[in-house]
Amino acid sequence: MGNSTTASEAAVTATTSAVPRVTAGTHGRAKATRRAPGAAGARPRTSGSSHAERVFLVQTAFAELGGSAHGPGEIAEFTGLDDSVVYRILQSGIYQRSFERVDRGLYRLRASAARLAFTALDHRLDGAVSQTVLRGLREATDGGLAFLYMVAPFSGAQRQCVDMEVGDSDLAELSMTPRDVLSVTRSLRTGASGRAILAYLPGVLQQRVLAEPVPDQAGPGVFSDNDDLLASLAEVRDLGCALGYEECMTGWNSCAAPIMWDGAIMGAVLLLKRKSEMPVVPEQVIEATKEAAAELSRHGAAGPTADRA
């Protein structure tokens, strides 16, 4: 099906082993049963760091651990902070409306945390910029269809199409429907752009996607086996792009490259061409797609602004 991969089993194991597993503890607390060696955010226990640093560590733990809620003991184990320190930060955070208690001994970030994320992303990418980049990609690939996918704002494990450049044609003329673009390709386990994003998400989010069923409308080249899908993610990280062969739709091949802002995956640029025109993705298309993604990454990354000049 065009989905062969050269990634080693070791790479697959490394991807899956970084997922902390949590079981219910006593008195309603969540307790970590295992902490992966070298897991992001895991540090030797310490109470000597500054208060501000400790607060940021606790906030980061919620994002890295995934799941709906966590107890002080689990967060302490993950961050390396003392249980008492974590507990005091959580209690203070409730008062400051940063955290909320959802059950006895379990906490989560308040929805107001999303306001910080939206503020951070404001003005990062202008529509005129994305159109210029996508138009350039279309020209560089001899009429390929260029799409911009971003991580969906209300789910860290889906994507949505936010811009496209398909020339004078509409989707119907190209034998594509809005459902092809907006429904089937929301899943990160389907298509080159989905895998280009999925490869850089935290392990807990990857596991959520792996638990999803393959969309019924997916193409014959979709990765239906989770082991094959995980191996393909290692290949994406090695190559810096994902190559898709009829993954989303029959008769269409693709190339996608990740968009990274300040080290975080934000989306992907996707280039589609008919299989009859592009039976194998050539180096020219790969480089053009990666350059388009790199350009959008540069525009979104933090840097000097007119206000700070």
Side-chain angles (χ1 to χ4, degrees), residues 220-298:
V222 69
F223 287 89
S224 56
D225 181 83
N226 282 349
D227 288 338
D228 291 342
L229 178 58
L230 281 170
S232 81
L233 302 185
E235 189 173 64
V236 169
R237 292 188 292 270
D238 287 341
L239 298 176
C241 67
L243 307 180
Y245 294 95
E246 298 186 280
E247 282 191 60
C248 288
M249 296 170 290
T250 300
W252 291 88
N253 290 340
S254 57
C255 178
I259 297 171
M260 309 289 289
W261 291 355
D262 300 337
I265 182 67
M266 297 304 299
V269 172
L270 173 70
L271 191 284
L272 274 176
K273 294 196 79 169
R274 292 186 187 276
K275 180 181 178 180
S276 58
E277 299 174 358
M278 189 175 72
V280 176
V281 181
E283 191 64 29
Q284 174 192 355
V285 168
I286 293 174
E287 291 305 316
T289 305
K290 290 168 68 172
E291 178 51 38
E295 180 66 16
L296 293 177
S297 294
R298 286 191 288 270

Side-chain angles (χ1 to χ4, degrees), residues 111-124:
S112 58
R115 184 174 63 234
L116 297 176
F118 287 127
T119 301
L121 296 178
D122 190 28
H123 304 305
R124 283 294 182 102

Side-chain angles (χ1 to χ4, degrees), residues 24-215:
T26 59
H27 306 297
R29 279 179 46 164
K31 180 176 64 176
T33 59
R34 175 172 62 86
R35 182 175 65 192
R43 293 172 172 80
R45 278 185 181 275
T46 176
S47 58
S49 56
S50 70
H51 176 70
E53 182 181 350
R54 294 195 292 266
V55 171
F56 286 130
L57 284 174
V58 171
Q59 290 177 323
T60 300
F62 281 98
E64 294 290 341
L65 286 169
S68 60
H70 304 286
E74 182 186 2
I75 295 173
E77 176 72 12
F78 187 83
T79 60
L81 297 173
D82 292 334
D83 293 57
S84 59
V85 171
V86 171
Y87 180 78
R88 289 196 299 271
I89 290 173
L90 290 173
Q91 295 308 304
S92 177
I94 291 174
Y95 179 76
Q96 298 296 334
R97 302 178 65 81
S98 296
F99 308 121
E100 61 183 346
R101 185 166 43 235
V102 296
D103 200 352
R104 185 180 180 185
L106 294 176
Y107 302 79
R108 69 184 178 193
L109 289 171
R110 287 185 63 93
S112 58
R115 184 174 63 234
L116 297 176
F118 287 127
T119 301
L121 296 178
D122 190 28
H123 304 305
R124 283 294 182 102
L125 190 59
D126 165 307
V129 171
S130 64
Q131 269 291 299
T132 299
V133 172
L134 294 179
R135 192 175 304 116
L137 176 58
R138 177 172 165 79
E139 293 170 356
T141 56
D142 193 24
L145 309 182
F147 298 85
L148 172 59
Y149 282 91
M150 301 298 281
V151 176
F154 296 106
S155 172
Q158 288 186 324
R159 71 190 189 280
Q160 65 184 71
C161 180
V162 299
D163 204 353
M164 66 180 73
E165 178 54 61
V166 296
D168 297 329
S169 302
D170 60 31
L171 295 178
E173 292 173 342
L174 298 167
S175 301
M176 298 170 65
T177 68
R179 185 170 185 171
D180 291 328
V181 175
L182 302 176
S183 298
V184 180
T185 55
R186 283 187 69 83
S187 172
L188 294 179
R189 69 172 300 148
T190 308
S193 59
R195 291 188 295 111
I197 294 172
L198 185 60
Y200 296 94
L201 284 178
V204 289
L205 293 181
Q206 289 184 358
Q207 292 300 316
R208 183 194 301 180
V209 174
L210 291 173
E212 296 174 358
V214 176

